Amino acid sequence: MSLLRRRKPINESSDSKPLLEKEEEEHHEEDPDEDEDDGSGKNKKTPSKIKKKPPPPQSKWSCLDTCCWFIGCICITWWLLLFLYNAMPASFPQYVTEAITGPLPDPPGVKLKKEGLEAKHPVVFVPGIVTGGLELWEGRECAEGLFRKRLWGGTFGEVYKRPLCWVEHMSLDNETGLDPCGIRVRPVSGLVAADYFAPGYFVWAVLIANLARIGYEEKTMYMAAYDWRLSFQNTEVRDQTLSRIKSNIELMVATNGGRKVVVIPHSMGVLYFLHFMKWVEAVAPMGGGGGPDWCSKHIKAVVNIGGPFLGVPKAIAGLFSAEAKDIAVARALAPGFLDNDIFQLQTLQHVMRMSRTWDSTMSMIPRGGDTIWGGLDWSPEEGYSCSKKREEDDTQITDQAGAENAVCKVRSANYGRIISFGKDVAEEPSSDIERIDFRGAIKGLSAANTTCRDVWTEYHDMGFAGIKAVAEYKTYTAESIVDLLHFIAPKMMARGTAHFSYGIADNLDDPKYKHYKYWSNPLETTLPNAPDMEIFSLYGVGLPTERAYVYKLSPHAECSIPFKIDTSADDEDTCLRDGVYSVDGDETVPVLSAGFMCAKGWRGKTRFNPSGIRTYIREYNHSPPANLLEGRGTLSGAHVDIMGNFALIEDVIRIVAGASGEELGGDQIHSNIFKWSEKINLQLEKKTSSR
Amino acid sequence: MASILRLRKLYYVEPAVKCSSVRFESLDESPKIDQKLGKKEEDVICANSLALEVKNKRKQAKEWRCMDSCCWIIGCLCTTWWLLLLLFHCWPVTLLRAPELPGPGVRLKREGLMALHPVVLVPGIVTGGLELWEGRSCADGLFRKRLWGGSFTEIFKRPLCLLEHLSLHYGTGLDPPGIRVRAVPGLVAADYFAPGYFVWAVLIENLAKIGYEGKNLHMAAYDWRLSFQNTEIRDHSLTRLKSKIELMYITNGYKKVVVVPHSMGAIYFLHFLKWVETPPPMGGGGGPGWCAKHIKATMNIGPTFLGVPKAVSNLFSAEGKDASYIRAMVPGVFDSEILGLQTFEHVMRMSRTWDSIVSLLPKGGDPIWGNMDSSPEEGHVCDFSKKSHSQTSLSDNNVNNSDVKRGFQVKGLAKYGRIISFGKAASVLHSSKLPTVDSKEFSQTSTSQNLNISCGEVWTEYDEMSRQNIQNAAADKAYTSTTLLDLLRLVAPKMMRRAEAHFSHGIADNLDDPKYNHYKYWSNPLEMKLPNAPDMEIYCLYGVGIPTERSYVYKLSPNSRCKSIPYQIDSSLSGEDNSCLRGGVYFADGDESVPVLSAGFMCAKGWRGRTRFNPSGIATHIREYRHKPPTSLLEGRGIESGAHVDIMGNSALIEDILRVAAGATGDEIGGDRIYSDILRMAERINL
């Protein structure tokens, strides 16, 4: 990457040089006398050069020679620049930045160290999906020489070199969701697992660097790296990852004078850690056997960053049509790459086949059904206006007129309809939609199945009839989406539902909720009995985030994914853009998913939080980096970039140095999360008062 | 990071354009360089490129064609280079490889071996990577970058800064204030020492072939500069190792672990064995049965149980380091003058702050290493010409004059017991002709030291010694491994005081003495008892057949300027063809770093059967690997090497480790396998 960047300026400069020289020539030929009169030594030389240099040489100064000459020039310039760059003092870029943008604020670590903060509680990082590195331990022949090299993360060089081999190794077994025969791909361990996702693209590195400023080091920081492709319980079955995390936390508490750990999960790591907290207190065969007070003994606080507690709609689009995945990170890095045709026209299918073998993607399917995500005609976010700036400016005026205005102007998106076929369907009132139930539909045999050969997605088993049935149901809410996925990808969902559940528990005391498949769903588990613990939810707001989709049937339905987001659908008023309805969030996780549990589900003593663990919400308003020099910004609210947000880092450092949520300032809200939470009608008391 | 890159982009485009524009303007009107830009850095660049171009043009005035052809040649070269590079990358991976024999891992997998016991790797000194966590301003931008290991580029860029960061505090042997350098964790800590120079990588790869992976393979990385107990005090390394072993034991179906220490790792792990069973304030509180419960075998590779003579010369004069392979890699760097003429002094200043080197001093004193006139290796024939040679040389002044009859060769005999002698005469003369070494004499003279103030900042403790003392210490004397410690106490009193709180080099008379419960004795196999674990096995795996430094002939350094080391190895001395003296160093059999005696004695005699050092009768096995240099350059460092580090790529050794890890016992892999004279040597030692 750095090489690429380096090339660019040189090319530009060397491009410009010959041009300028030519200009000079012309210039001098026009008035050579004037130049000679000039007193400067420097100037004397230049004209003389031009005089001596005869235009094209006498003999064989061919095109090839010119090429060589040109390349030679470029090389020399390059080396010169390289040399200058290497000779440049390390503090130089900072100096330039400061000269241009004014003095930079101290990084939070330095600032807080001056305040006297010191390392206190050990820290555990739990990385999310996609950001953790994976390396090869055993592979097929085509992956020779890649032993212990990163397949995922790092430079991704192998993706370009041997794409099909790479896809084969990254896929899991379609039946078991574990390793395919003869292939072992394992998570990288240690802080290097997720400090940088790719060279220069930080994930945890900034936070780690700032923690190190106040005295943290390897013995007080632990990256709980796990294989993010597996379902959570399978990481324990295959790698004993949960046991390792448990043992490491115990060790860190013991070696740091009994100080409890602060856990910092990010993205899917949030769900993973929920799973861990249930697992560790469950009895031995299925759980970790830590006993009922393990969490209260070992954990001071869980600081969730951008946690998709209730799932993300993006996951659906990813599973349904391999579009708009959480792999947005990867896409952002290499834009157009995944959509490109390097796999011979079937990139998306290959990606879909691969990602459908990953159980973990199913942990992100929206949970809580219509109660949380809204039905056909309502949704908690109703009335959200995308053009946020306008709204803010107008609030004073519209507030008075608001009551009347609202009535006539309510033409808000029906966020509840997560998938609709056609824009009109997405907008019509529910009574007008004719829906034909797909559940009983017979899947026809695909006519020309054999032509599709190696690329296999379960769509090929559906046939035209099945696909048509899906489209005729017209619109899907969070609840029927699960059924939809069962219909289009029965094998995958059979695997997934053994590990994840998406409902809401009626009665949490039901013994069935002791099964591990419920552990990562906050609506079907109780928090551990740890009244001193604190749960924070830190997330960015102010970015449009995918919430619902308008689909259409793909024109060529054979051998390809039959559904496609209808990118032509646009609507200013209802936040519809390129076929996607968006709401407030951090670009990946909607506010509702990140904030609801802390805002309402767990606030105070509820049935999900019987011991009354305190919860805090800290929102960070997104502001894009002011200029290119700032890189990804220190005020960002985007899902991954927020890890470099100075305000967030400061909060985290204060917490690990011993501050409680109250000392931090309690809640910090920018969005409408409380208003939206109120609209959600979720039973929070114990069963005594039935709905 | 990204921002820096972006910045550069912007920064380079701009001046390039502006430079030309400046020149352009100056052509038109005046030579005055436009100052109103007000940005110094641009001017620097401009001036730079201007100067360059002016220079070029001066030449071009007459030989423009020359400049042209220069560009042309470089262009050609670049193009060819790129073409070759492209071809190389397009080359199918399989074509490049010479048809190789399948490695031991593949072969054993076909035999049906599977991962069974979890494996713990304990790296030795020098090979583990170190990274920066907090540093001075000169180390900006190196946060979490490797200072030690990896490409070592920083050594070239800012050598003094690096030395400062790698040094420890001279008084405490811990971090200096404001600097935190920590061991790299995980397998990456010591798989490759430098790019392409494997340490553990080959072994790891072969283990992976039979099914090992992160969950049953662990690298117990520790900061090898610290004394062993300090790694626990500062980093909790021992506690972490204990917890890791317990975890692996449980998660792998209650299978005991196989520990594979290398070099100094062997005594580090000895320390661990004692530490883990000792009650909490000082130890790990694992209880007396911990080792028996958790450890199946320790397979020591090239262990430095009784120390290495190399450590002496290193501490004494910073020469002949254990890091000799660093020298082999970047020859001449340490000897050249890049650090301003005083490389050795800088290296000495740094390495003397490392307690761990003191742990490598020869242990056991004269009974093990020999006294003035006799040594266990006596009669060893050094044959540098690598021909096998019948044993011809025997001693005339041997204490037990049993074999005098064939003693026609006297000159080739080395008196290994005298680890340091001053002058060749002192190294060969009979002891009665030498002045006696009296430690009291040292203490008297050292009190009368007059500080040499003229040298300013004190670098090494030599600067605090008077010239008189230095000469006294050297006056035609020879030192054995016991008196050697006195010598070191004389030349570096502070260092020895610091380090001897952590290490001891004697032999215990009575192991039940309660003083031996102190941690400073734990890493000395002659002053500790092995744990009570009758089912455990101890292996000594090491290479033989390479001349290994055993004792030195020193001389006073000719130049007596400030801050220099007053002693140096007298490298002009070399014996005849089959004498063991080469370049001022006497050699014995070993693996290039560790003499056979140190690596093998404990397994051959000290612990064999039920001895007082091994009360529960832990089984010991010796596996020696005869060194064979790689036959061709293509083989790299060879698969039959016996050298200290290269042995980690030795197929036979890897096979042994794999078999034990897969469940075999020592007898099943063939018991002892001995090429050297270790048993005979061990017999001569009267313990």
Side-chain angles (χ1 to χ4, degrees):
Chain A
M1 185 145 156
S2 63
L3 263 181
L4 281 176
R5 288 244 165 95
R6 204 172 286 153
R7 284 299 302 282
K8 225 185 267 174
I10 288 112
N11 282 340
E12 282 167 36
S13 59
S14 48
D15 279 351
S16 56
K17 213 181 223 171
L19 271 179
L20 283 164
E21 270 171 22
K22 264 181 220 159
E23 280 174 51
E24 274 167 39
E25 275 175 45
E26 288 163 15
H27 182 78
H28 292 301
E29 273 157 14
E30 277 165 32
D31 43 14
D33 297 345
E34 192 190 307
D35 275 325
E36 271 186 349
D37 292 342
D38 252 323
S40 146
K42 282 171 203 161
N43 281 354
K44 264 186 182 166
K45 299 301 174 204
T46 19
S48 64
K49 155 204 148 192
I50 279 134
K51 274 181 187 167
K52 286 266 172 169
K53 181 190 171 191
Q58 309 88 328
S59 49
K60 31 206 161 148
W61 188 250
S62 71
C63 168
L64 192 72
D65 290 330
T66 327
C67 276
C68 282
W69 179 86
F70 188 64
I71 291 171
C73 280
I74 293 177
C75 282
I76 291 175
T77 336
W78 183 359
W79 290 333
L80 192 74
L81 290 179
L82 213 67
F83 174 75
L84 281 176
Y85 172 68
N86 281 324
M88 183 176 70
S91 57
F92 190 70
Q94 201 192 346
Y95 172 76
V96 176
T97 320
E98 284 185 3
I100 296 173
T101 61
L104 291 173
D106 266 348
V110 178
K111 185 177 129 201
L112 294 175
K113 195 187 179 184
K114 282 182 197 147
E115 279 184 26
L117 262 65
E118 273 185 11
K120 190 170 173 203
H121 295 276
V123 178
V124 177
F125 305 112
V126 189
I129 196 168
V130 176
T131 48
L134 299 173
E135 59 188 13
L136 184 76
W137 278 82
E138 185 183 341
R140 301 267 155 81
E141 241 170 57
C142 68
E144 212 176 325
L146 294 181
F147 176 69
R148 284 187 57 224
K149 297 272 188 311
R150 282 198 183 199
L151 290 188
W152 188 267
T155 54
F156 284 97
E158 296 308 318
V159 180
Y160 298 91
K161 278 197 198 160
R162 22 192 157 174
L164 286 175
C165 181
W166 183 80
V167 166
E168 184 188 355
H169 282 81
M170 286 299 295
S171 300
L172 293 170
D173 188 276
N174 200 27
E175 303 285 321
T176 60
L178 292 169
D179 287 329
C181 201
I183 292 179
R184 283 185 294 152
V185 173
R186 296 288 178 266
V188 178
S189 64
L191 292 177
V192 284
D195 55 349
Y196 287 95
F197 176 62
Y201 191 87
F202 71 82
V203 181
W204 293 92
V206 179
L207 185 56
I208 291 172
N210 279 294
L211 285 172
R213 296 268 189 189
I214 64 162
Y216 279 91
E217 55 190 73
E218 202 75 41
K219 66 176 172 184
T220 41
M221 280 196 277
Y222 170 61
M223 178 76 75
Y226 56 97
D227 189 337
W228 46 263
R229 300 170 305 159
L230 299 184
S231 75
F232 303 156
Q233 192 68 11
N234 273 345
T235 62
E236 170 66 12
V237 171
R238 199 192 69 181
D239 298 337
Q240 280 92 38
T241 311
L242 296 172
S243 301
R244 289 160 75 145
I245 296 174
K246 173 172 174 253
S247 146
N248 262 302
I249 291 180
E250 284 166 356
L251 172 70
M252 289 208 294
V253 171
T255 53
N256 286 288
R259 295 201 187 106
K260 300 180 198 174
V261 299
V262 171
V263 184
I264 308 180
H266 172 235
S267 185
M268 192 180 78
V270 167
L271 302 176
Y272 190 72
F273 196 72
L274 271 186
H275 186 94
F276 172 82
M277 285 198 289
K278 289 302 283 184
W279 174 86
V280 76
E281 299 200 341
V283 281
M286 197 188 280
D293 56 352
W294 194 94
C295 288
S296 73
K297 260 195 215 155
H298 291 93
I299 301 175
K300 173 195 189 286
V302 183
V303 185
N304 302 295
I305 301 178
F309 284 107
L310 303 176
V312 285
K314 252 190 191 179
I316 294 171
L319 289 172
F320 195 57
S321 64
E323 291 174 288
K325 261 193 74 57
D326 191 49
I327 306 194
V329 185
R331 273 195 174 176
L333 268 174
F337 166 65
L338 287 177
D339 313 324
N340 212 323
D341 288 347
I342 50 160
F343 292 136
Q344 295 132 18
L345 293 165
Q346 301 189 303
T347 316
L348 281 184
Q349 281 89 326
H350 277 285
V351 168
M352 173 179 257
R353 190 166 72 131
M354 177 173 75
S355 62
R356 276 195 177 179
T357 65
W358 299 344
D359 284 344
S360 61
T361 50
M362 283 177 279
S363 73
M364 314 271 271
I365 293 173
R367 298 145 196 270
D370 297 358
T371 320
I372 302 286
W373 294 94
L376 284 176
D377 290 320
W378 78 280
S379 69
E381 288 110 326
E382 231 159 18
Y384 170 74
S385 162
C386 305
S387 36
K388 217 177 172 194
K389 275 175 204 152
R390 199 183 58 199
E391 192 194 56
E392 272 166 16
D393 294 342
D394 296 350
T395 29
Q396 283 91 346
I397 315 153
T398 47
D399 264 358
Q400 298 101 353
E404 311 104 87
N405 245 359
V407 183
C408 57
K409 211 194 152 191
V410 162
R411 202 173 79 82
S412 162
N414 292 316
Y415 289 120
R417 306 174 191 181
I418 294 186
I419 288 182
S420 341
F421 281 91
K423 188 185 163 193
D424 42 340
V425 177
E427 286 168 356
E428 272 172 62
S430 61
S431 49
D432 296 353
I433 305 174
E434 279 178 44
R435 304 205 306 183
I436 301 168
D437 202 349
F438 63 92
R439 289 177 183 93
I442 307 149
K443 298 179 184 178
L445 267 178
S446 179
N449 213 355
T450 42
T451 53
C452 298
R453 269 170 309 183
D454 53 327
V455 175
W456 178 92
T457 61
E458 288 188 68
Y459 279 125
H460 303 311
D461 297 342
M462 279 177 61
F464 293 118
I467 291 166
K468 213 163 156 244
V470 167
E472 276 177 359
Y473 191 63
K474 298 270 168 51
T475 180
Y476 297 85
T477 62
E479 235 160 60
S480 45
I481 282 238
V482 178
D483 296 330
L484 169 68
L485 289 173
H486 270 292
F487 183 73
I488 60 166
K491 282 185 201 158
M492 174 188 78
M493 288 305 282
R495 224 175 52 225
T497 42
H499 287 285
F500 301 106
S501 162
Y502 312 104
I504 300 180
D506 281 334
N507 175 14
L508 279 164
D509 297 330
D510 192 330
K512 81 168 181 176
Y513 289 115
K514 294 217 154 59
H515 190 268
Y516 60 77
K517 75 182 214 182
Y518 299 104
W519 288 346
S520 59
N521 181 355
L523 297 172
E524 290 178 309
T525 49
T526 54
L527 286 180
N529 181 21
D532 294 336
M533 208 168 102
E534 290 177 321
I535 294 182
F536 294 84
S537 192
L538 283 58
Y539 54 89
V541 295
L543 284 166
T545 307
E546 295 165 47
R547 176 67 169 80
Y549 300 90
V550 177
Y551 266 89
K552 64 177 180 191
L553 280 175
S554 187
H556 42 95
E558 194 59 38
C559 285
S560 66
I561 300 163
F563 308 107
K564 204 174 155 183
I565 292 177
D566 185 0
T567 46
S568 64
D570 270 307
D571 194 333
E572 275 286 306
D573 292 342
T574 55
C575 307
L576 182 64
R577 174 154 295 188
D578 295 338
V580 179
Y581 287 99
S582 51
V583 288
D584 201 4
D586 67 358
E587 214 165 14
T588 300
V589 184
V591 167
L592 188 70
S593 174
F596 173 74
M597 288 316 288
C598 283
K600 190 171 175 192
W602 287 333
R603 182 121 310 178
K605 266 193 206 235
T606 67
R607 66 189 179 114
F608 301 110
N609 180 9
S611 63
I613 296 172
R614 273 152 300 143
T615 61
Y616 301 95
I617 295 182
R618 309 277 297 172
E619 291 183 346
Y620 304 91
N621 225 338
H622 176 76
S623 44
N627 55 36
L628 275 178
L629 286 178
E630 275 185 26
R632 288 153 68 200
T634 56
L635 296 167
S636 177
H639 191 58
V640 176
D641 293 354
I642 199 173
M643 311 282 280
N645 186 314
F646 278 6
L648 176 134
I649 292 175
E650 189 178 329
D651 284 349
V652 170
I653 291 181
R654 284 188 194 282
I655 295 168
V656 298
S660 69
E662 292 303 331
E663 286 161 16
L664 217 61
D667 291 343
Q668 170 185 307
I669 309 277
H670 299 292
S671 71
N672 294 327
I673 179 67
F674 280 114
K675 213 175 79 191
W676 292 340
S677 303
E678 241 163 63
K679 285 193 202 156
I680 292 174
N681 184 14
L682 181 70
Q683 174 214 349
L684 293 173
E685 306 297 311
K686 247 191 162 174
K687 202 66 192 169
T688 45
S689 62
S690 60
R691 270 199 282 180
Chain B
M1 182 72 196
S3 70
I4 292 178
L5 284 173
R6 291 229 173 89
L7 178 85
R8 280 193 37 238
K9 184 167 145 190
L10 210 119
Y11 160 64
Y12 275 126
V13 177
E14 225 174 285
V17 174
K18 282 206 176 127
C19 277
S20 8
S21 67
V22 167
R23 214 182 57 194
F24 209 32
E25 274 170 24
S26 57
L27 283 170
D28 286 340
E29 297 167 18
S30 71
K32 208 170 68 185
I33 290 169
D34 199 350
Q35 288 285 351
K36 71 190 166 197
L37 292 169
K39 280 173 196 162
K40 261 190 185 170
E41 63 278 6
E42 280 176 10
D43 284 349
V44 172
I45 299 277
C46 286
N48 222 329
S49 53
L50 270 178
L52 192 99
E53 272 167 33
V54 165
K55 224 182 189 176
N56 287 345
K57 273 160 207 159
R58 227 168 252 150
K59 275 182 200 160
Q60 283 161 9
K62 275 169 194 169
E63 351 162 64
W64 166 251
R65 295 304 305 274
C66 170
M67 183 60 202
D68 255 355
S69 34
C70 270
C71 279
W72 182 84
I73 289 171
I74 291 171
C76 275
L77 282 178
C78 282
T79 323
T80 340
W81 174 245
W82 287 333
L83 268 175
L84 286 178
L85 216 65
L86 186 79
L87 277 175
F88 175 74
H89 280 292
C90 294
W91 208 261
V93 187
T94 44
L95 267 181
L96 260 178
R97 278 190 193 195
E100 269 174 23
L101 289 170
V106 178
R107 211 170 58 236
L108 293 175
K109 195 188 177 183
R110 280 192 209 126
E111 276 183 30
L113 258 66
M114 293 282 288
L116 187 71
H117 296 278
V119 172
V120 174
L121 311 173
V122 186
I125 196 168
V126 176
T127 48
L130 299 173
E131 59 187 15
L132 184 77
W133 279 84
E134 184 182 342
R136 304 266 155 81
S137 53
C138 71
D140 258 350
L142 291 182
F143 176 67
R144 284 187 60 223
K145 297 272 188 311
R146 283 199 180 197
L147 294 189
W148 188 265
S151 57
F152 282 103
T153 44
E154 295 306 322
I155 285 194
F156 298 94
K157 278 197 195 164
R158 25 192 156 175
L160 287 176
C161 181
L162 194 85
L163 283 177
E164 183 188 354
H165 282 82
L166 283 175
S167 299
L168 294 169
H169 192 266
Y170 205 84
T172 59
L174 292 169
D175 289 329
I179 291 179
R180 283 185 291 152
V181 174
R182 296 288 180 267
V184 177
L187 291 176
V188 284
D191 55 349
Y192 288 95
F193 177 63
Y197 189 87
F198 71 83
V199 181
W200 293 92
V202 179
L203 181 59
I204 292 171
E205 191 162 352
N206 281 295
L207 283 169
K209 289 265 160 52
I210 64 165
Y212 281 92
E213 59 192 51
K215 67 176 172 184
N216 45 19
L217 185 61
H218 174 66
M219 174 83 74
Y222 58 97
D223 189 337
W224 47 263
R225 300 171 305 159
L226 299 183
S227 76
F228 304 154
Q229 193 69 9
N230 274 344
T231 63
E232 168 66 13
I233 290 168
R234 199 191 71 181
D235 298 336
H236 309 300
S237 299
L238 297 173
T239 316
R240 289 161 78 124
L241 179 55
K242 172 173 175 251
S243 137
K244 201 77 203 181
I245 290 179
E246 284 167 353
L247 174 71
M248 291 208 294
Y249 172 69
I250 293 169
T251 53
N252 287 288
Y254 300 93
K255 292 275 182 297
K256 297 184 197 174
V257 301
V258 171
V259 184
V260 187
H262 173 235
S263 182
M264 192 181 79
I267 49 178
Y268 186 75
F269 195 71
L270 271 190
H271 188 94
F272 174 80
L273 288 179
K274 287 302 281 182
W275 173 87
V276 75
E277 299 203 338
T278 307
M282 198 187 279
W290 196 92
C291 293
K293 189 179 164 197
H294 291 96
I295 298 174
K296 172 191 177 347
T298 41
M299 308 196 71
N300 304 291
I301 304 177
T304 57
F305 281 129
L306 301 178
V308 285
K310 257 189 189 178
V312 178
S313 63
N314 177 36
L315 284 176
F316 196 59
S317 65
E319 290 175 288
K321 266 183 69 61
D322 187 48
S324 66
Y325 43 88
I326 298 179
R327 276 191 170 177
M329 283 179 56
V330 273
V333 165
F334 280 154
D335 312 326
S336 77
E337 312 198 324
I338 49 162
L339 302 187
L341 293 165
Q342 297 191 302
T343 316
F344 279 119
E345 286 76 5
H346 278 285
V347 168
M348 169 176 271
R349 187 157 73 122
M350 175 172 75
S351 59
R352 277 198 178 175
T353 66
W354 297 344
D355 282 340
S356 59
I357 293 187
V358 178
S359 78
L360 293 174
L361 289 179
K363 291 170 188 173
D366 297 355
I368 300 287
W369 293 96
N371 53 26
M372 296 300 269
D373 292 318
S374 73
S375 69
E377 284 115 325
E378 224 156 22
H380 172 71
V381 182
C382 302
D383 202 350
F384 290 105
S385 55
K386 298 278 187 288
K387 275 181 217 151
S388 66
H389 211 283
S390 66
Q391 191 176 334
T392 48
S393 74
L394 284 161
S395 71
D396 62 339
N397 44 10
N398 200 332
V399 188
N400 49 355
N401 285 317
S402 53
D403 293 335
V404 199
K405 51 195 178 212
R406 286 196 292 154
F408 57 88
Q409 243 201 9
V410 189
K411 280 175 189 165
L413 180 75
K415 291 193 189 329
Y416 290 119
R418 304 173 190 181
I419 292 187
I420 287 185
S421 0
F422 284 94
K424 195 182 176 189
S427 75
V428 286
L429 279 178
H430 191 268
S431 61
S432 55
K433 296 172 193 160
L434 286 171
T436 48
V437 177
D438 187 4
S439 55
K440 272 178 196 165
E441 182 191 340
F442 291 149
S443 50
Q444 281 162 12
T445 48
S446 59
T447 49
S448 65
Q449 61 183 215
N450 53 338
L451 277 174
N452 199 344
I453 307 160
S454 60
C455 284
E457 191 196 358
V458 173
W459 279 16
T460 62
E461 290 190 66
Y462 279 127
D463 298 340
E464 290 174 359
M465 277 175 75
S466 67
R467 197 73 202 158
Q468 182 63 38
N469 273 342
I470 288 171
Q471 269 158 5
N472 272 355
D476 262 352
K477 283 173 193 160
Y479 297 87
T480 65
S481 56
T482 313
T483 48
L484 181 80
L485 291 173
D486 298 326
L487 176 66
L488 284 173
R489 277 179 209 127
L490 171 74
V491 299
K494 281 189 208 155
M495 176 192 77
M496 290 305 281
R497 219 174 301 137
R498 189 188 73 223
E500 290 200 317
H502 288 284
F503 298 108
S504 163
H505 301 93
I507 299 183
D509 283 333
N510 174 14
L511 277 165
D512 294 327
D513 192 331
K515 80 168 181 176
Y516 288 115
N517 289 334
H518 192 269
Y519 59 76
K520 76 183 217 182
Y521 299 105
W522 290 347
S523 60
N524 182 353
L526 298 172
E527 289 179 308
M528 56 89 79
K529 277 190 274 191
L530 286 181
N532 180 20
D535 294 337
M536 207 169 108
E537 289 178 312
I538 294 182
Y539 294 81
C540 291
L541 315 154
Y542 53 88
V544 295
I546 306 182
T548 306
E549 295 166 47
R550 177 66 171 81
S551 59
Y552 301 90
V553 180
Y554 268 88
K555 65 176 180 192
L556 277 176
S557 180
N559 76 356
S560 55
R561 73 192 150 87
C562 277
K563 295 173 184 170
S564 70
I565 299 167
Y567 306 109
Q568 72 180 51
I569 292 175
D570 190 355
S571 53
S572 62
L573 291 179
S574 285
E576 285 135 42
D577 263 357
N578 44 6
S579 149
C580 296
L581 182 64
R582 253 304 129 97
V585 180
Y586 284 98
F587 289 96
D589 199 7
D591 68 358
E592 209 165 18
S593 287
V594 185
V596 169
L597 185 69
S598 171
F601 174 73
M602 290 315 289
C603 286
K605 188 170 175 193
W607 288 330
R608 180 126 308 177
R610 261 174 213 265
T611 66
R612 64 190 178 113
F613 302 111
N614 180 9
S616 62
I618 295 172
T620 60
H621 304 279
I622 294 182
R623 307 281 293 173
E624 292 184 345
Y625 304 91
R626 191 187 286 286
H627 176 72
K628 271 186 210 155
T631 48
S632 68
L633 272 178
L634 274 178
E635 270 186 33
R637 288 154 67 202
I639 52 170
E640 291 180 297
S641 175
H644 192 55
V645 175
D646 293 354
I647 200 175
M648 312 279 278
N650 186 312
S651 313
L653 175 128
I654 291 173
E655 188 177 330
D656 284 349
I657 292 177
L658 258 54
R659 283 189 192 280
V660 172
T665 64
D667 292 328
E668 281 164 25
I669 63 169
D672 287 349
R673 190 173 82 167
I674 296 182
Y675 298 108
S676 71
D677 293 338
I678 179 66
L679 291 178
R680 211 165 48 86
M681 290 180 205
E683 237 165 63
R684 281 202 213 155
I685 292 173
N686 186 13
L687 200 62

